[in-house]
Each structure stands twice: as structure tokens, then as C-alpha cells.
Amino acid sequence: MSRLDSFISRMTAQREILNHLRGRLDGLGGPVLELGLGNGRTFDHLRECFPDRRIIVFDRAVGAHKTSVPEPENMVVGEIRETARKFIGINAALAHVDIGTGYDDKDAITLTWLPQLMAGLVAPHGYAVSGLELRHPHLEPLPVLPGVEVGRYFLYRRV
Ligand code: SAM
């Protein structure tokens, strides 16, 4: 599989999972969190999926397309490991994180702190969606959705 194929598969999986969660956050009160703004494409999709929900976005810099820049009060700039830690207990209905690099050694370092952080951000019965596999006793993997390649993108429910 070429890197282009792999990228398309990953983006397809991301979109399938986020679309699957449309309408499933009802009954969960907290915000949506987007960890890794990047170009803002996923943020834009989250706005479409969850139009009535506050979406708080984290990145070390604001580099999004001008149509997809969060309002200043919903944009948290800095290293996610530090900035998002201050939001532990916010009881997010959904937290999506897309900060994988494609380098196993770098991602292994991220995975020393990311699962614990995600488990701390998401409300009980809320959802965590991640491009990196998160192993944590409070994050229960949900069945792989149709259209999602196994191991490409990950959906969890907070227990
Ligand atoms: N989903 C995004 C989109 O639609 O464009 C793409 C996200 S991009 C793959 C990852 C982003 O996460 C980059 O903008 C990068 O700056 C940010 N990022 C990665 N690791 C980070 C960290 N530890 N702290 C803060 N930002 C980080």
C-alpha cells in the first residue's frame, strides 16, 4: 500500500468514526475536544457533526486554513501534554486526537502520556477517537466499523 493509499484509508476511517458518532452524544453534557488542529479539516467536520456543541481545540500553533480557525476562547495553544492536562475532569462528550507522526519511535513517546490524558478528559460513557492505539483500562475499544480498516483508527468508550 502506498503512503497515499495509507493516508486515504486513515482519513476515511477518521470520517467514518466521527460520522458514526453524530447523534450519539445526546445525553452527554460536556464539550468536544480536538487535539491537533493542523489544517483544521477535522475541526471543520466536527463543527458540522456537532453544531450545538462547544469544541475546544489544542495545538502547539494555529496553522489552520482561515475558514477553520477556532474562536480564540476555544483555541488552546501549547504542548498538548501540558495544556490539555489542565482540562482533566472536563467530562468531554468526545475527544478526538490526531497527533501521530508516522514514526514509531516518536509515537511511542507520545503513547507514554496520551492514553492517561485521554481517559482523564472524557466523561464516563463518552467517546475517545484516536489515530494512535490507546491502551488504558478506562478506555474500552468499540467494534471496528464498516469501512474502517482494522488498526487504522481507533474508537473507545470511556468506562
Ligand atoms: N486533523 C488535522 C486536520 O484536519 O488538519 C490534522 C492534525 S495534524 C496530523 C497534527 C497536529 O497536531 C499538528 O498541527 C501539530 O502541530 C499538532 N501536534 C502534534 N503533537 C502535538 C503536541 N504534542 N502538542 C501540541 N500540538 C501537537
Side-chain angles (χ1 to χ4, degrees), residues 120-158:
L121 293 172
V122 176
H125 310 299
Y127 296 92
V129 177
S130 175
L132 296 174
E133 185 175 12
L134 304 176
R135 295 188 182 184
H136 190 280
H138 292 159
L139 296 175
E140 180 192 4
L142 294 179
V144 177
L145 300 174
V148 173
E149 199 187 322
V150 174
R152 189 58 75 183
Y153 226 82
F154 301 90
L155 169 61
Y156 303 90
R157 190 134 205 211
R158 173 75 159 84

PDB file of all heavy atoms in Angstrom, residues 120-158:
ATOM      1  N   GLY A 120      -8.566  10.838  31.143  1.00  0.00           N
ATOM      2  CA  GLY A 120      -8.895  11.899  32.095  1.00  0.00           C
ATOM      3  C   GLY A 120      -9.770  12.998  31.514  1.00  0.00           C
ATOM      4  O   GLY A 120     -10.439  13.721  32.243  1.00  0.00           O
ATOM      5  N   LEU A 121      -9.774  13.124  30.200  1.00  0.00           N
ATOM      6  CA  LEU A 121     -10.540  14.204  29.555  1.00  0.00           C
ATOM      7  C   LEU A 121     -11.986  13.810  29.256  1.00  0.00           C
ATOM      8  O   LEU A 121     -12.870  14.674  29.217  1.00  0.00           O
ATOM      9  CB  LEU A 121      -9.862  14.610  28.238  1.00  0.00           C
ATOM     10  CG  LEU A 121      -8.498  15.287  28.351  1.00  0.00           C
ATOM     11  CD1 LEU A 121      -7.860  15.442  26.955  1.00  0.00           C
ATOM     12  CD2 LEU A 121      -8.608  16.653  29.036  1.00  0.00           C
ATOM     13  N   VAL A 122     -12.198  12.516  29.006  1.00  0.00           N
ATOM     14  CA  VAL A 122     -13.510  12.071  28.506  1.00  0.00           C
ATOM     15  C   VAL A 122     -14.423  11.683  29.671  1.00  0.00           C
ATOM     16  O   VAL A 122     -13.984  11.050  30.639  1.00  0.00           O
ATOM     17  CB  VAL A 122     -13.318  10.873  27.541  1.00  0.00           C
ATOM     18  CG1 VAL A 122     -14.655  10.324  27.079  1.00  0.00           C
ATOM     19  CG2 VAL A 122     -12.488  11.311  26.333  1.00  0.00           C
ATOM     20  N   ALA A 123     -15.683  12.053  29.547  1.00  0.00           N
ATOM     21  CA  ALA A 123     -16.689  11.719  30.565  1.00  0.00           C
ATOM     22  C   ALA A 123     -16.967  10.219  30.571  1.00  0.00           C
ATOM     23  O   ALA A 123     -16.834   9.558  29.532  1.00  0.00           O
ATOM     24  CB  ALA A 123     -17.992  12.457  30.245  1.00  0.00           C
ATOM     25  N   PRO A 124     -17.389   9.664  31.707  1.00  0.00           N
ATOM     26  CA  PRO A 124     -17.878   8.294  31.695  1.00  0.00           C
ATOM     27  C   PRO A 124     -18.952   8.133  30.615  1.00  0.00           C
ATOM     28  O   PRO A 124     -19.827   8.997  30.480  1.00  0.00           O
ATOM     29  CB  PRO A 124     -18.472   8.133  33.103  1.00  0.00           C
ATOM     30  CG  PRO A 124     -17.706   9.113  33.940  1.00  0.00           C
ATOM     31  CD  PRO A 124     -17.422  10.274  33.042  1.00  0.00           C
ATOM     32  N   HIS A 125     -18.848   7.091  29.827  1.00  0.00           N
ATOM     33  CA  HIS A 125     -19.730   6.793  28.677  1.00  0.00           C
ATOM     34  C   HIS A 125     -19.462   7.695  27.465  1.00  0.00           C
ATOM     35  O   HIS A 125     -20.134   7.553  26.439  1.00  0.00           O
ATOM     36  CB  HIS A 125     -21.222   6.844  29.049  1.00  0.00           C
ATOM     37  CG  HIS A 125     -21.543   6.030  30.267  1.00  0.00           C
ATOM     38  ND1 HIS A 125     -21.344   4.674  30.330  1.00  0.00           N
ATOM     39  CD2 HIS A 125     -22.001   6.403  31.495  1.00  0.00           C
ATOM     40  CE1 HIS A 125     -21.683   4.237  31.531  1.00  0.00           C
ATOM     41  NE2 HIS A 125     -22.072   5.267  32.268  1.00  0.00           N
ATOM     42  N   GLY A 126     -18.526   8.630  27.594  1.00  0.00           N
ATOM     43  CA  GLY A 126     -18.135   9.447  26.446  1.00  0.00           C
ATOM     44  C   GLY A 126     -17.206   8.664  25.518  1.00  0.00           C
ATOM     45  O   GLY A 126     -16.830   7.519  25.797  1.00  0.00           O
ATOM     46  N   TYR A 127     -16.814   9.324  24.430  1.00  0.00           N
ATOM     47  CA  TYR A 127     -16.059   8.639  23.381  1.00  0.00           C
ATOM     48  C   TYR A 127     -14.672   9.259  23.196  1.00  0.00           C
ATOM     49  O   TYR A 127     -14.513  10.486  23.239  1.00  0.00           O
ATOM     50  CB  TYR A 127     -16.813   8.732  22.049  1.00  0.00           C
ATOM     51  CG  TYR A 127     -18.142   8.030  22.077  1.00  0.00           C
ATOM     52  CD1 TYR A 127     -19.308   8.718  22.418  1.00  0.00           C
ATOM     53  CD2 TYR A 127     -18.236   6.667  21.791  1.00  0.00           C
ATOM     54  CE1 TYR A 127     -20.541   8.075  22.455  1.00  0.00           C
ATOM     55  CE2 TYR A 127     -19.462   6.013  21.824  1.00  0.00           C
ATOM     56  CZ  TYR A 127     -20.604   6.723  22.154  1.00  0.00           C
ATOM     57  OH  TYR A 127     -21.814   6.077  22.211  1.00  0.00           O
ATOM     58  N   ALA A 128     -13.709   8.381  22.942  1.00  0.00           N
ATOM     59  CA  ALA A 128     -12.363   8.803  22.560  1.00  0.00           C
ATOM     60  C   ALA A 128     -12.085   8.235  21.176  1.00  0.00           C
ATOM     61  O   ALA A 128     -12.337   7.046  20.924  1.00  0.00           O
ATOM     62  CB  ALA A 128     -11.339   8.281  23.561  1.00  0.00           C
ATOM     63  N   VAL A 129     -11.602   9.088  20.286  1.00  0.00           N
ATOM     64  CA  VAL A 129     -11.273   8.674  18.912  1.00  0.00           C
ATOM     65  C   VAL A 129      -9.826   9.061  18.677  1.00  0.00           C
ATOM     66  O   VAL A 129      -9.417  10.195  18.967  1.00  0.00           O
ATOM     67  CB  VAL A 129     -12.202   9.378  17.895  1.00  0.00           C
ATOM     68  CG1 VAL A 129     -11.814   8.995  16.472  1.00  0.00           C
ATOM     69  CG2 VAL A 129     -13.660   9.041  18.172  1.00  0.00           C
ATOM     70  N   SER A 130      -9.043   8.136  18.140  1.00  0.00           N
ATOM     71  CA  SER A 130      -7.599   8.379  18.064  1.00  0.00           C
ATOM     72  C   SER A 130      -6.973   7.722  16.843  1.00  0.00           C
ATOM     73  O   SER A 130      -7.350   6.613  16.457  1.00  0.00           O
ATOM     74  CB  SER A 130      -6.941   7.827  19.340  1.00  0.00           C
ATOM     75  OG  SER A 130      -5.535   7.932  19.276  1.00  0.00           O
ATOM     76  N   GLY A 131      -5.999   8.400  16.293  1.00  0.00           N
ATOM     77  CA  GLY A 131      -5.209   7.813  15.220  1.00  0.00           C
ATOM     78  C   GLY A 131      -4.158   6.853  15.738  1.00  0.00           C
ATOM     79  O   GLY A 131      -3.613   6.057  14.970  1.00  0.00           O
ATOM     80  N   LEU A 132      -3.841   6.959  17.018  1.00  0.00           N
ATOM     81  CA  LEU A 132      -2.901   6.028  17.660  1.00  0.00           C
ATOM     82  C   LEU A 132      -3.682   5.133  18.606  1.00  0.00           C
ATOM     83  O   LEU A 132      -4.634   5.598  19.251  1.00  0.00           O
ATOM     84  CB  LEU A 132      -1.839   6.804  18.456  1.00  0.00           C
ATOM     85  CG  LEU A 132      -0.894   7.703  17.665  1.00  0.00           C
ATOM     86  CD1 LEU A 132       0.001   8.500  18.624  1.00  0.00           C
ATOM     87  CD2 LEU A 132      -0.053   6.890  16.692  1.00  0.00           C
ATOM     88  N   GLU A 133      -3.269   3.891  18.698  1.00  0.00           N
ATOM     89  CA  GLU A 133      -3.961   2.971  19.601  1.00  0.00           C
ATOM     90  C   GLU A 133      -3.719   3.387  21.046  1.00  0.00           C
ATOM     91  O   GLU A 133      -2.572   3.617  21.451  1.00  0.00           O
ATOM     92  CB  GLU A 133      -3.460   1.548  19.362  1.00  0.00           C
ATOM     93  CG  GLU A 133      -4.226   0.529  20.179  1.00  0.00           C
ATOM     94  CD  GLU A 133      -3.814  -0.893  19.843  1.00  0.00           C
ATOM     95  OE1 GLU A 133      -2.798  -1.094  19.147  1.00  0.00           O
ATOM     96  OE2 GLU A 133      -4.536  -1.818  20.282  1.00  0.00           O
ATOM     97  N   LEU A 134      -4.809   3.492  21.798  1.00  0.00           N
ATOM     98  CA  LEU A 134      -4.713   3.902  23.196  1.00  0.00           C
ATOM     99  C   LEU A 134      -5.008   2.706  24.079  1.00  0.00           C
ATOM    100  O   LEU A 134      -6.097   2.124  23.979  1.00  0.00           O
ATOM    101  CB  LEU A 134      -5.725   5.022  23.490  1.00  0.00           C
ATOM    102  CG  LEU A 134      -5.643   6.270  22.605  1.00  0.00           C
ATOM    103  CD1 LEU A 134      -6.768   7.237  22.957  1.00  0.00           C
ATOM    104  CD2 LEU A 134      -4.290   6.948  22.741  1.00  0.00           C
ATOM    105  N   ARG A 135      -4.078   2.343  24.911  1.00  0.00           N
ATOM    106  CA  ARG A 135      -4.316   1.226  25.833  1.00  0.00           C
ATOM    107  C   ARG A 135      -4.440   1.779  27.230  1.00  0.00           C
ATOM    108  O   ARG A 135      -3.452   2.296  27.792  1.00  0.00           O
ATOM    109  CB  ARG A 135      -3.178   0.227  25.751  1.00  0.00           C
ATOM    110  CG  ARG A 135      -3.138  -0.416  24.391  1.00  0.00           C
ATOM    111  CD  ARG A 135      -2.170  -1.533  24.309  1.00  0.00           C
ATOM    112  NE  ARG A 135      -2.185  -2.048  22.934  1.00  0.00           N
ATOM    113  CZ  ARG A 135      -1.513  -3.074  22.522  1.00  0.00           C
ATOM    114  NH1 ARG A 135      -0.770  -3.734  23.363  1.00  0.00           N
ATOM    115  NH2 ARG A 135      -1.573  -3.469  21.270  1.00  0.00           N
ATOM    116  N   HIS A 136      -5.665   1.684  27.746  1.00  0.00           N
ATOM    117  CA  HIS A 136      -5.927   2.201  29.088  1.00  0.00           C
ATOM    118  C   HIS A 136      -7.127   1.457  29.645  1.00  0.00           C
ATOM    119  O   HIS A 136      -8.112   1.241  28.922  1.00  0.00           O
ATOM    120  CB  HIS A 136      -6.220   3.717  29.034  1.00  0.00           C
ATOM    121  CG  HIS A 136      -6.250   4.346  30.383  1.00  0.00           C
ATOM    122  ND1 HIS A 136      -7.338   4.279  31.210  1.00  0.00           N
ATOM    123  CD2 HIS A 136      -5.296   5.032  31.065  1.00  0.00           C
ATOM    124  CE1 HIS A 136      -7.064   4.908  32.337  1.00  0.00           C
ATOM    125  NE2 HIS A 136      -5.837   5.374  32.275  1.00  0.00           N
ATOM    126  N   PRO A 137      -7.085   1.076  30.922  1.00  0.00           N
ATOM    127  CA  PRO A 137      -8.190   0.289  31.474  1.00  0.00           C
ATOM    128  C   PRO A 137      -9.545   0.994  31.428  1.00  0.00           C
ATOM    129  O   PRO A 137     -10.584   0.330  31.455  1.00  0.00           O
ATOM    130  CB  PRO A 137      -7.757   0.013  32.925  1.00  0.00           C
ATOM    131  CG  PRO A 137      -6.571   0.874  33.180  1.00  0.00           C
ATOM    132  CD  PRO A 137      -5.965   1.226  31.865  1.00  0.00           C
ATOM    133  N   HIS A 138      -9.560   2.314  31.352  1.00  0.00           N
ATOM    134  CA  HIS A 138     -10.843   3.036  31.316  1.00  0.00           C
ATOM    135  C   HIS A 138     -11.307   3.350  29.898  1.00  0.00           C
ATOM    136  O   HIS A 138     -12.335   4.016  29.708  1.00  0.00           O
ATOM    137  CB  HIS A 138     -10.753   4.332  32.131  1.00  0.00           C
ATOM    138  CG  HIS A 138     -10.614   4.085  33.601  1.00  0.00           C
ATOM    139  ND1 HIS A 138     -10.100   5.015  34.476  1.00  0.00           N
ATOM    140  CD2 HIS A 138     -10.911   2.992  34.347  1.00  0.00           C
ATOM    141  CE1 HIS A 138     -10.082   4.504  35.698  1.00  0.00           C
ATOM    142  NE2 HIS A 138     -10.579   3.283  35.641  1.00  0.00           N
ATOM    143  N   LEU A 139     -10.548   2.931  28.912  1.00  0.00           N
ATOM    144  CA  LEU A 139     -10.946   3.156  27.507  1.00  0.00           C
ATOM    145  C   LEU A 139     -11.231   1.801  26.869  1.00  0.00           C
ATOM    146  O   LEU A 139     -10.305   1.031  26.561  1.00  0.00           O
ATOM    147  CB  LEU A 139      -9.844   3.906  26.751  1.00  0.00           C
ATOM    148  CG  LEU A 139      -9.543   5.316  27.252  1.00  0.00           C
ATOM    149  CD1 LEU A 139      -8.344   5.899  26.501  1.00  0.00           C
ATOM    150  CD2 LEU A 139     -10.756   6.229  27.108  1.00  0.00           C
ATOM    151  N   GLU A 140     -12.514   1.532  26.675  1.00  0.00           N
ATOM    152  CA  GLU A 140     -12.932   0.230  26.138  1.00  0.00           C
ATOM    153  C   GLU A 140     -13.009   0.312  24.612  1.00  0.00           C
ATOM    154  O   GLU A 140     -13.778   1.138  24.077  1.00  0.00           O
ATOM    155  CB  GLU A 140     -14.310  -0.123  26.704  1.00  0.00           C
ATOM    156  CG  GLU A 140     -14.837  -1.444  26.214  1.00  0.00           C
ATOM    157  CD  GLU A 140     -16.314  -1.640  26.562  1.00  0.00           C
ATOM    158  OE1 GLU A 140     -16.932  -0.713  27.121  1.00  0.00           O
ATOM    159  OE2 GLU A 140     -16.832  -2.698  26.249  1.00  0.00           O
ATOM    160  N   PRO A 141     -12.227  -0.505  23.905  1.00  0.00           N
ATOM    161  CA  PRO A 141     -12.294  -0.459  22.434  1.00  0.00           C
ATOM    162  C   PRO A 141     -13.680  -0.885  21.946  1.00  0.00           C
ATOM    163  O   PRO A 141     -14.225  -1.871  22.443  1.00  0.00           O
ATOM    164  CB  PRO A 141     -11.238  -1.475  21.985  1.00  0.00           C
ATOM    165  CG  PRO A 141     -10.405  -1.761  23.188  1.00  0.00           C
ATOM    166  CD  PRO A 141     -11.260  -1.488  24.393  1.00  0.00           C
ATOM    167  N   LEU A 142     -14.225  -0.140  21.001  1.00  0.00           N
ATOM    168  CA  LEU A 142     -15.528  -0.495  20.415  1.00  0.00           C
ATOM    169  C   LEU A 142     -15.282  -1.233  19.101  1.00  0.00           C
ATOM    170  O   LEU A 142     -14.215  -1.098  18.484  1.00  0.00           O
ATOM    171  CB  LEU A 142     -16.366   0.766  20.194  1.00  0.00           C
ATOM    172  CG  LEU A 142     -16.782   1.473  21.488  1.00  0.00           C
ATOM    173  CD1 LEU A 142     -17.587   2.728  21.177  1.00  0.00           C
ATOM    174  CD2 LEU A 142     -17.586   0.538  22.401  1.00  0.00           C
ATOM    175  N   PRO A 143     -16.266  -2.022  18.671  1.00  0.00           N
ATOM    176  CA  PRO A 143     -16.066  -2.810  17.446  1.00  0.00           C
ATOM    177  C   PRO A 143     -15.706  -1.931  16.248  1.00  0.00           C
ATOM    178  O   PRO A 143     -16.185  -0.792  16.129  1.00  0.00           O
ATOM    179  CB  PRO A 143     -17.427  -3.478  17.235  1.00  0.00           C
ATOM    180  CG  PRO A 143     -18.070  -3.478  18.591  1.00  0.00           C
ATOM    181  CD  PRO A 143     -17.571  -2.260  19.295  1.00  0.00           C
ATOM    182  N   VAL A 144     -14.881  -2.485  15.396  1.00  0.00           N
ATOM    183  CA  VAL A 144     -14.447  -1.753  14.192  1.00  0.00           C
ATOM    184  C   VAL A 144     -15.655  -1.567  13.269  1.00  0.00           C
ATOM    185  O   VAL A 144     -16.422  -2.500  13.019  1.00  0.00           O
ATOM    186  CB  VAL A 144     -13.333  -2.539  13.473  1.00  0.00           C
ATOM    187  CG1 VAL A 144     -12.918  -1.828  12.193  1.00  0.00           C
ATOM    188  CG2 VAL A 144     -12.133  -2.709  14.406  1.00  0.00           C
ATOM    189  N   LEU A 145     -15.824  -0.346  12.792  1.00  0.00           N
ATOM    190  CA  LEU A 145     -16.992  -0.016  11.956  1.00  0.00           C
ATOM    191  C   LEU A 145     -16.777  -0.472  10.517  1.00  0.00           C
ATOM    192  O   LEU A 145     -15.625  -0.540  10.050  1.00  0.00           O
ATOM    193  CB  LEU A 145     -17.218   1.503  11.953  1.00  0.00           C
ATOM    194  CG  LEU A 145     -17.480   2.148  13.310  1.00  0.00           C
ATOM    195  CD1 LEU A 145     -17.541   3.664  13.160  1.00  0.00           C
ATOM    196  CD2 LEU A 145     -18.787   1.622  13.892  1.00  0.00           C
ATOM    197  N   PRO A 146     -17.869  -0.715   9.795  1.00  0.00           N
ATOM    198  CA  PRO A 146     -17.743  -0.992   8.360  1.00  0.00           C
ATOM    199  C   PRO A 146     -17.049   0.192   7.682  1.00  0.00           C
ATOM    200  O   PRO A 146     -17.303   1.344   8.041  1.00  0.00           O
ATOM    201  CB  PRO A 146     -19.204  -1.092   7.884  1.00  0.00           C
ATOM    202  CG  PRO A 146     -20.022  -1.270   9.117  1.00  0.00           C
ATOM    203  CD  PRO A 146     -19.264  -0.691  10.262  1.00  0.00           C
ATOM    204  N   GLY A 147     -16.173  -0.084   6.780  1.00  0.00           N
ATOM    205  CA  GLY A 147     -15.469   0.989   6.072  1.00  0.00           C
ATOM    206  C   GLY A 147     -14.193   1.423   6.767  1.00  0.00           C
ATOM    207  O   GLY A 147     -13.467   2.273   6.251  1.00  0.00           O
ATOM    208  N   VAL A 148     -13.938   0.872   7.950  1.00  0.00           N
ATOM    209  CA  VAL A 148     -12.726   1.223   8.692  1.00  0.00           C
ATOM    210  C   VAL A 148     -11.776   0.028   8.657  1.00  0.00           C
ATOM    211  O   VAL A 148     -12.138  -1.070   9.075  1.00  0.00           O
ATOM    212  CB  VAL A 148     -13.060   1.594  10.154  1.00  0.00           C
ATOM    213  CG1 VAL A 148     -11.787   1.796  10.969  1.00  0.00           C
ATOM    214  CG2 VAL A 148     -13.934   2.842  10.198  1.00  0.00           C
ATOM    215  N   GLU A 149     -10.586   0.276   8.144  1.00  0.00           N
ATOM    216  CA  GLU A 149      -9.595  -0.796   8.104  1.00  0.00           C
ATOM    217  C   GLU A 149      -9.096  -1.081   9.525  1.00  0.00           C
ATOM    218  O   GLU A 149      -8.822  -0.139  10.275  1.00  0.00           O
ATOM    219  CB  GLU A 149      -8.437  -0.300   7.233  1.00  0.00           C
ATOM    220  CG  GLU A 149      -7.549  -1.364   6.694  1.00  0.00           C
ATOM    221  CD  GLU A 149      -6.345  -0.723   6.004  1.00  0.00           C
ATOM    222  OE1 GLU A 149      -6.481   0.330   5.340  1.00  0.00           O
ATOM    223  OE2 GLU A 149      -5.252  -1.280   6.172  1.00  0.00           O
ATOM    224  N   VAL A 150      -8.981  -2.340   9.852  1.00  0.00           N
ATOM    225  CA  VAL A 150      -8.538  -2.722  11.206  1.00  0.00           C
ATOM    226  C   VAL A 150      -7.158  -2.105  11.497  1.00  0.00           C
ATOM    227  O   VAL A 150      -6.251  -2.175  10.666  1.00  0.00           O
ATOM    228  CB  VAL A 150      -8.486  -4.261  11.342  1.00  0.00           C
ATOM    229  CG1 VAL A 150      -7.894  -4.663  12.696  1.00  0.00           C
ATOM    230  CG2 VAL A 150      -9.875  -4.858  11.169  1.00  0.00           C
ATOM    231  N   GLY A 151      -7.046  -1.467  12.652  1.00  0.00           N
ATOM    232  CA  GLY A 151      -5.766  -0.900  13.074  1.00  0.00           C
ATOM    233  C   GLY A 151      -5.470   0.469  12.484  1.00  0.00           C
ATOM    234  O   GLY A 151      -4.398   1.017  12.697  1.00  0.00           O
ATOM    235  N   ARG A 152      -6.414   1.033  11.746  1.00  0.00           N
ATOM    236  CA  ARG A 152      -6.155   2.306  11.058  1.00  0.00           C
ATOM    237  C   ARG A 152      -6.531   3.516  11.912  1.00  0.00           C
ATOM    238  O   ARG A 152      -5.876   4.560  11.883  1.00  0.00           O
ATOM    239  CB  ARG A 152      -6.954   2.314   9.743  1.00  0.00           C
ATOM    240  CG  ARG A 152      -6.658   3.422   8.841  1.00  0.00           C
ATOM    241  CD  ARG A 152      -5.219   3.488   8.450  1.00  0.00           C
ATOM    242  NE  ARG A 152      -4.830   2.473   7.485  1.00  0.00           N
ATOM    243  CZ  ARG A 152      -3.586   2.327   7.043  1.00  0.00           C
ATOM    244  NH1 ARG A 152      -2.618   3.110   7.497  1.00  0.00           N
ATOM    245  NH2 ARG A 152      -3.299   1.393   6.174  1.00  0.00           N
ATOM    246  N   TYR A 153      -7.622   3.366  12.674  1.00  0.00           N
ATOM    247  CA  TYR A 153      -8.109   4.449  13.521  1.00  0.00           C
ATOM    248  C   TYR A 153      -8.900   3.798  14.634  1.00  0.00           C
ATOM    249  O   TYR A 153      -9.428   2.689  14.444  1.00  0.00           O
ATOM    250  CB  TYR A 153      -9.004   5.405  12.710  1.00  0.00           C
ATOM    251  CG  TYR A 153      -8.678   6.860  12.952  1.00  0.00           C
ATOM    252  CD1 TYR A 153      -7.631   7.476  12.275  1.00  0.00           C
ATOM    253  CD2 TYR A 153      -9.396   7.617  13.878  1.00  0.00           C
ATOM    254  CE1 TYR A 153      -7.306   8.796  12.516  1.00  0.00           C
ATOM    255  CE2 TYR A 153      -9.084   8.941  14.118  1.00  0.00           C
ATOM    256  CZ  TYR A 153      -8.039   9.525  13.432  1.00  0.00           C
ATOM    257  OH  TYR A 153      -7.712  10.844  13.674  1.00  0.00           O
ATOM    258  N   PHE A 154      -8.981   4.428  15.792  1.00  0.00           N
ATOM    259  CA  PHE A 154      -9.446   3.715  16.984  1.00  0.00           C
ATOM    260  C   PHE A 154     -10.574   4.484  17.684  1.00  0.00           C
ATOM    261  O   PHE A 154     -10.492   5.706  17.843  1.00  0.00           O
ATOM    262  CB  PHE A 154      -8.271   3.510  17.937  1.00  0.00           C
ATOM    263  CG  PHE A 154      -7.147   2.732  17.296  1.00  0.00           C
ATOM    264  CD1 PHE A 154      -6.121   3.395  16.612  1.00  0.00           C
ATOM    265  CD2 PHE A 154      -7.144   1.354  17.320  1.00  0.00           C
ATOM    266  CE1 PHE A 154      -5.095   2.696  16.000  1.00  0.00           C
ATOM    267  CE2 PHE A 154      -6.118   0.629  16.705  1.00  0.00           C
ATOM    268  CZ  PHE A 154      -5.100   1.294  16.044  1.00  0.00           C
ATOM    269  N   LEU A 155     -11.590   3.715  18.081  1.00  0.00           N
ATOM    270  CA  LEU A 155     -12.765   4.273  18.763  1.00  0.00           C
ATOM    271  C   LEU A 155     -12.918   3.573  20.108  1.00  0.00           C
ATOM    272  O   LEU A 155     -12.913   2.334  20.172  1.00  0.00           O
ATOM    273  CB  LEU A 155     -14.005   4.040  17.895  1.00  0.00           C
ATOM    274  CG  LEU A 155     -15.371   4.323  18.528  1.00  0.00           C
ATOM    275  CD1 LEU A 155     -15.501   5.793  18.942  1.00  0.00           C
ATOM    276  CD2 LEU A 155     -16.492   3.952  17.541  1.00  0.00           C
ATOM    277  N   TYR A 156     -13.075   4.383  21.149  1.00  0.00           N
ATOM    278  CA  TYR A 156     -13.203   3.847  22.509  1.00  0.00           C
ATOM    279  C   TYR A 156     -14.383   4.499  23.207  1.00  0.00           C
ATOM    280  O   TYR A 156     -14.745   5.641  22.925  1.00  0.00           O
ATOM    281  CB  TYR A 156     -11.950   4.172  23.348  1.00  0.00           C
ATOM    282  CG  TYR A 156     -10.675   3.673  22.740  1.00  0.00           C
ATOM    283  CD1 TYR A 156      -9.940   4.474  21.863  1.00  0.00           C
ATOM    284  CD2 TYR A 156     -10.203   2.385  23.023  1.00  0.00           C
ATOM    285  CE1 TYR A 156      -8.768   4.013  21.281  1.00  0.00           C
ATOM    286  CE2 TYR A 156      -9.021   1.920  22.443  1.00  0.00           C
ATOM    287  CZ  TYR A 156      -8.314   2.738  21.581  1.00  0.00           C
ATOM    288  OH  TYR A 156      -7.162   2.278  21.009  1.00  0.00           O
ATOM    289  N   ARG A 157     -14.919   3.748  24.179  1.00  0.00           N
ATOM    290  CA  ARG A 157     -15.899   4.327  25.086  1.00  0.00           C
ATOM    291  C   ARG A 157     -15.281   4.356  26.477  1.00  0.00           C
ATOM    292  O   ARG A 157     -14.686   3.372  26.926  1.00  0.00           O
ATOM    293  CB  ARG A 157     -17.174   3.485  25.080  1.00  0.00           C
ATOM    294  CG  ARG A 157     -18.307   4.171  25.810  1.00  0.00           C
ATOM    295  CD  ARG A 157     -19.569   4.084  25.013  1.00  0.00           C
ATOM    296  NE  ARG A 157     -20.453   5.177  25.360  1.00  0.00           N
ATOM    297  CZ  ARG A 157     -21.762   5.099  25.319  1.00  0.00           C
ATOM    298  NH1 ARG A 157     -22.343   4.004  24.918  1.00  0.00           N
ATOM    299  NH2 ARG A 157     -22.501   6.138  25.641  1.00  0.00           N
ATOM    300  N   ARG A 158     -15.440   5.487  27.123  1.00  0.00           N
ATOM    301  CA  ARG A 158     -14.890   5.633  28.483  1.00  0.00           C
ATOM    302  C   ARG A 158     -15.775   4.855  29.443  1.00  0.00           C
ATOM    303  O   ARG A 158     -16.988   5.048  29.467  1.00  0.00           O
ATOM    304  CB  ARG A 158     -14.870   7.124  28.833  1.00  0.00           C
ATOM    305  CG  ARG A 158     -14.486   7.460  30.254  1.00  0.00           C
ATOM    306  CD  ARG A 158     -13.006   7.302  30.477  1.00  0.00           C
ATOM    307  NE  ARG A 158     -12.597   8.077  31.643  1.00  0.00           N
ATOM    308  CZ  ARG A 158     -12.684   7.636  32.892  1.00  0.00           C
ATOM    309  NH1 ARG A 158     -13.175   6.450  33.159  1.00  0.00           N
ATOM    310  NH2 ARG A 158     -12.287   8.421  33.879  1.00  0.00           N
TER     311      ARG A 158
END
